[in-house]
Amino acid sequence: MVDIIIIGAGAAGMTAAIYARRASKTVLVLEAMSYGGQIINTPDIENYPVAAHISGFDFATKVYEQAKALGAEFKFEKAVEIRDNGDSKTVVTAKNAYEAKAVIIATGSENRKLGVEGEDKLVGRGVSYCATCDGAFFRNKKVAVVGGGNTALEDALYLADIAETVYLIHRRDRFRGEDSTVEKLRQRANVQFVYNSQVTRLNADKRLQSIEVTDKQGNVTTLEVSGLFVAVGRIPENQNFASVVELDGAGYALAAENCRTKTPGVFVAGDNRVKEVRQLVTATADGAVAATEAIKFINA
Ligand code: NAP
């Protein structure tokens, strides 16, 4: 039995681990993939206090090392269920079952798919959800980015340094992401904006050869691109925990700013919680709040 199990080693989960360890609680962090979460794909963080520039990888590694040095234990196993036993909770993974006095769900979110035929088969053959991971494969080639949020804008900016041409395809004519990044993109000669348009077809041999884009009037254009970077938002990863946490229509966990859920001793922190602003700084803030509430719950 540990004091607190934290599900997810992203910014929220690892911050929660730091706060819990500093309160001398025993902590087990369960992570399905690798530490870092969504931020690991961000090439340059410019809006987190202290550092004017830091890569997402460096940021995540520093937080991971900080949590480890404080004594948090990490196990790389996917949590598939939380059982509420009243005084304790059991977290079931694919391999094991662990018991804790409190659980913090900090699972974040996964990439939303475009839903165009052939998309899944072409992942790794031209279709990608991570510009910083796969951008280097498209040096001096033509690529497209789909989406209008900060991720799409930042992906396009990153790829503009690598690719010959970057088409930025958005379904509306106004971006959801920050104006300052849009302005940086406008200054890049190799970035072309494709507004009011959706990707409607992927043409491939073994790899992606081109895409078809359909605008609001129904006009279809073929763009010869060998890379398609999909950045059309995220889906919260709460599905496995619906028995202990109430979800809204979009799958976000309902919890107030104190991160408490409907189940005493189960807390939710980060991008998978219902909230207005999803930023790195709000994720780490959630981690601090959830850990503090979990500590209060255990000590009560
Ligand atoms: P997002 O803000 O939810 O934006 C998703 C974009 O994809 C929207 O522009 C949306 O269009 C479009 N979209 C959704 N479904 C689509 C579909 N089926 N086909 C075509 N387009 C579709 O997602 P995100 O960019 O991944 O960002 C997630 C969160 O992380 C946001 O809160 C964002 O601010 C934050 N973030 C912040 C930073 C930063 O601060 N530096 C960096 C990255 C992400 P509509 O606009 O028409 O809805």
Side-chain angles (χ1 to χ4, degrees):
M1 165 91 90
V2 294
D3 290 324
I4 304 175
I5 289 178
I6 298 166
I7 306 175
M14 294 198 292
T15 304
I18 290 169
Y19 272 71
R21 282 303 301 142
R22 283 178 46 77
S24 301
K25 298 300 176 201
T26 51
V27 171
L28 171 62
V29 183
L30 296 171
E31 166 57 52
M33 309 276 282
S34 58
Y35 70 79
Q38 188 190 345
I39 199 63
I40 212 145
N41 299 327
T42 298
D44 188 17
I45 302 165
E46 293 182 347
N47 57 3
Y48 197 85
V50 166
H53 296 276
I54 183 170
S55 75
F57 179 80
D58 286 348
F59 177 90
T61 302
K62 280 176 187 287
V63 184
Y64 175 67
E65 285 170 356
Q66 191 176 352
K68 288 268 283 186
L70 284 165
E73 186 184 1
F74 285 75
K75 282 186 192 277
F76 292 90
E77 297 177 31
K78 184 176 171 66
V80 293
E81 190 188 349
I82 300 172
R83 291 187 199 136
D84 181 17
N85 317 313
D87 283 348
S88 73
K89 321 288 163 206
T90 304
V91 179
V92 181
T93 71
K95 295 183 198 161
N96 292 300
Y98 301 98
E99 218 170 325
K101 294 174 188 163
V103 176
I104 298 172
I105 305 169
T107 38
S109 55
E110 63 186 341
N111 298 311
R112 178 180 288 126
K113 304 264 173 80
L114 260 187
V116 180
E117 198 182 334
E119 182 179 358
D120 285 343
K121 279 191 197 148
L122 289 168
V123 173
R125 297 173 184 188
V127 173
S128 171
Y129 301 85
C130 177
T132 51
C133 316
D134 300 327
F137 296 120
F138 299 91
R139 188 163 296 283
N140 301 326
K141 296 189 171 159
K142 292 182 178 162
V143 299
V145 175
V146 196
N150 278 319
T151 305
L153 298 180
E154 291 182 7
D155 283 359
L157 198 57
Y158 178 77
L159 291 163
D161 284 337
I162 298 170
E164 180 199 295
T165 304
V166 179
Y167 298 100
L168 178 53
I169 302 163
H170 183 31
R171 64 184 178 183
R172 294 187 291 137
D173 60 0
R174 288 201 56 166
F175 288 106
R176 187 177 287 274
E178 285 178 19
D179 290 343
S180 60
T181 318
V182 176
E183 200 42 51
K184 285 182 192 168
L185 285 166
R186 288 195 202 291
Q187 285 162 19
R188 299 301 188 97
N190 64 339
V191 174
Q192 293 189 28
F193 295 85
V194 183
Y195 294 114
N196 296 318
S197 298
Q198 300 258 34
V199 176
T200 42
R201 191 181 158 92
L202 309 177
N203 298 316
D205 185 354
K206 282 183 184 148
R207 296 187 55 84
L208 185 69
Q209 306 291 335
S210 65
I211 58 175
E212 279 181 19
V213 174
T214 304
D215 71 14
K216 282 191 173 160
Q217 285 71 45
N219 303 309
V220 178
T221 309
T222 299
L223 300 176
E224 308 285 335
V225 295
S226 54
L228 176 66
F229 289 85
V230 179
V232 295
R234 320 261 318 164
I235 299 172
E237 294 205 67
N238 291 321
Q239 308 86 325
N240 290 339
F241 314 118
S243 63
V244 288
V245 174
E246 208 175 327
L247 306 183
D248 75 1
Y252 289 96
L254 293 173
E257 289 300 310
N258 63 12
C259 297
R260 289 180 178 242
T261 69
K262 69 171 188 182
T263 305
V266 176
F267 304 84
V268 64
D271 278 6
N272 52 319
R273 182 172 77 81
V274 164
K275 55 163 73 181
E276 288 292 321
V277 180
R278 291 196 173 83
Q279 294 279 299
L280 182 57
V281 72
T282 59
T284 56
D286 263 19
V289 172
T292 305
E293 291 293 326
I295 294 159
K296 268 198 247 168
F297 172 81
I298 292 168
N299 290 346

